[in-house]
Amino acid sequence: MNVQARLVFCWLYLQVSFVSVLSDTWNAKVVPNIDALVKSCVVVPCTYNYPGTSLPSSRKRAIWHKKGNREEYIYHEDSISVADNFKGRTKLLGNLGQKNCTLEIDEVRDHDNGPFCFRIEIPDLDKFSFVEQCVTISMISSPKEPVLEHKNYFKEGSHAVFKCYVKHTCPSHPPSLTWSRSDGEVLPSIKLLYEGTWQVESVLSFIAKEQDHNTEVTCKAVFHGNMETEAKFVMFVKGKQNIYHIIIPVATVLGIIILLGVVGFFVIKKYKRQIQELQSRNENGLWSRISRVSRRFRSVDYTFPGGDYKH
Ligand SMILES: *[C@@H]1O[C@H](CO)[C@@H](O)[C@H](O)[C@H]1NC(C)=O
């Protein structure tokens, strides 16, 4: 074995012994704060460790109790020992053999705040309450409405895509998201936002049609325990029809203006000639009258009644 290999081996050995030293202590990882929707469920993520060898679930007893009172069980495998107000509502989802102590509280009530702590009893070894890692639950009395993401308007014939999502803390019975439209493609998904808090998502896509204009798209979230909320959007479809709505009146007005212009042009042209004719006729007429009158004046004999003045 060369020096390098020996060093690597040494380093690995140290790592392994470190990990086993670390895992050789009583510790638990519990989410410290979590929201819970009243009437729904809440799942509290929890893992734990203890010194010594791995043991199957059957050799361990898991308990969840109120902080400050080790006797007030909110979960116990013997349901008779569970406090009355938690009877039948708590379940250990985690696999104890895999050091998972995840707890589910169902039909959440207003006063389920806690804090609650995990306790493990291993008859062959010891008992331990992880009172430094307890969970406090914040109650939410009514669910928030889902978030609906979309474009402000859609072009007729284009893909209309809507994304709807909502947070929850009940992964054992996640909320369902449903759309008001039965046509189109729906893509559901679930993702973990942060420890204990999940998000269900649904993406709806369809081809925007002319008749979708002014119609409502609704995303409804139904939570475990049957509480529901919804988000809506009234679609604006910029269709060819909408363009015609603008083009037709504009074209009509323009047409009328052009028509009036043309008609006016001919009318003016026609009347101009007539006016000119009239004017020239008038001028002729006037002159002829004037000349006629002057001629008549010139031809008058200025004889006065009463005879001759020449005396
Ligand atoms: C613990 O158990 C829960 C419930 O089965 C599971 O969702 C979670 O992923 C487990 N955690 C770990 C760290 O394995």
Side-chain angles (χ1 to χ4, degrees), residues 157-175:
S158 72
H159 273 280
V161 180
F162 288 82
K163 184 182 174 184
C164 181
Y165 54 87
V166 75
K167 277 199 245 178
H168 71 98
T169 53
C170 175
S172 50
H173 308 87

Side-chain angles (χ1 to χ4, degrees), residues 22-291:
L22 276 182
S23 68
D24 266 357
T25 56
W26 295 93
N27 65 70
K29 238 183 99 205
V30 183
V31 63
N33 294 291
I34 196 164
D35 289 338
L37 177 63
V38 174
K39 291 184 188 154
S40 186
C41 101
V42 60
V43 173
V44 180
C46 170
T47 52
Y48 70 99
N49 217 330
Y50 57 90
T53 51
S54 246
L55 290 164
S57 304
S58 55
R59 306 274 295 276
K60 302 165 183 167
R61 177 184 290 154
I63 289 165
W64 278 85
H65 61 82
K66 193 97 179 260
K67 189 176 184 172
N69 185 358
R70 266 203 335 230
E71 307 297 304
E72 195 180 336
Y73 302 145
I74 68 153
Y75 170 80
H76 194 287
E77 59 183 26
D78 174 14
S79 59
I80 293 170
S81 316
V82 175
D84 280 344
N85 51 342
F86 282 94
K87 265 198 174 73
R89 297 201 291 126
T90 51
K91 195 156 79 181
L92 201 71
L93 292 186
N95 183 331
L96 272 189
Q98 289 167 6
K99 301 180 176 177
N100 188 328
C101 41
T102 299
L103 173 78
E104 180 196 73
I105 305 176
D106 203 2
E107 296 162 45
V108 170
R109 296 180 188 169
D110 281 325
H111 304 291
D112 289 352
N113 309 76
F116 304 120
C117 318
F118 178 61
R119 174 180 173 83
I120 185 101
E121 295 180 358
I122 306 172
D124 298 340
L125 192 70
D126 209 347
K127 302 168 180 184
F128 202 98
S129 278
F130 301 96
V131 290
E132 300 301 318
Q133 285 82 29
C134 304
V135 60
T136 302
I137 303 175
S138 306
M139 300 303 149
I140 295 173
S141 49
S142 54
K144 258 197 193 167
E145 59 186 54
V147 180
L148 187 55
E149 281 179 0
H150 51 76
K151 280 191 189 167
N152 284 333
Y153 65 85
F154 303 91
K155 281 197 191 119
E156 190 186 337
S158 72
H159 273 280
V161 180
F162 288 82
K163 184 182 174 184
C164 181
Y165 54 87
V166 75
K167 277 199 245 178
H168 71 98
T169 53
C170 175
S172 50
H173 308 87
S176 68
L177 294 176
T178 51
W179 295 96
S180 55
R181 295 178 66 109
S182 50
D183 62 328
E185 260 180 73
V186 175
L187 205 82
S189 62
I190 293 184
K191 72 178 184 198
L192 179 65
L193 287 185
Y194 40 92
E195 220 195 355
T197 302
W198 300 76
Q199 182 164 294
V200 290
E201 300 180 352
S202 182
V203 174
L204 168 74
S205 65
F206 56 91
I207 304 290
K209 292 191 207 79
E210 186 189 308
Q211 60 264 37
D212 294 327
H213 183 63
N214 266 328
T215 60
E216 231 173 43
V217 173
T218 309
C219 169
K220 186 166 79 176
V222 181
F223 293 80
H224 175 62
N226 283 330
M227 283 220 238
E228 51 182 70
T229 53
E230 58 179 31
K232 298 175 189 203
F233 178 66
V234 177
M235 281 184 83
F236 186 93
V237 181
K238 250 191 195 174
K240 287 156 201 151
Q241 193 215 18
N242 298 68
I243 293 168
Y244 288 147
H245 275 325
I246 301 163
I247 288 178
I248 291 170
V250 168
T252 310
V253 169
L254 274 179
I256 290 170
I257 289 171
I258 290 168
L259 197 72
L260 282 179
V262 168
V263 167
F265 176 77
F266 281 111
V267 165
I268 287 168
K269 204 171 164 185
K270 192 178 163 192
Y271 278 98
K272 209 173 183 180
R273 211 181 301 143
Q274 276 192 355
I275 287 164
Q276 268 173 355
E277 264 172 34
L278 217 73
Q279 273 179 342
S280 62
R281 213 192 295 156
N282 264 356
E283 276 169 14
N284 288 347
L286 195 68
W287 277 118
S288 61
R289 264 170 63 195
I290 290 171
S291 51

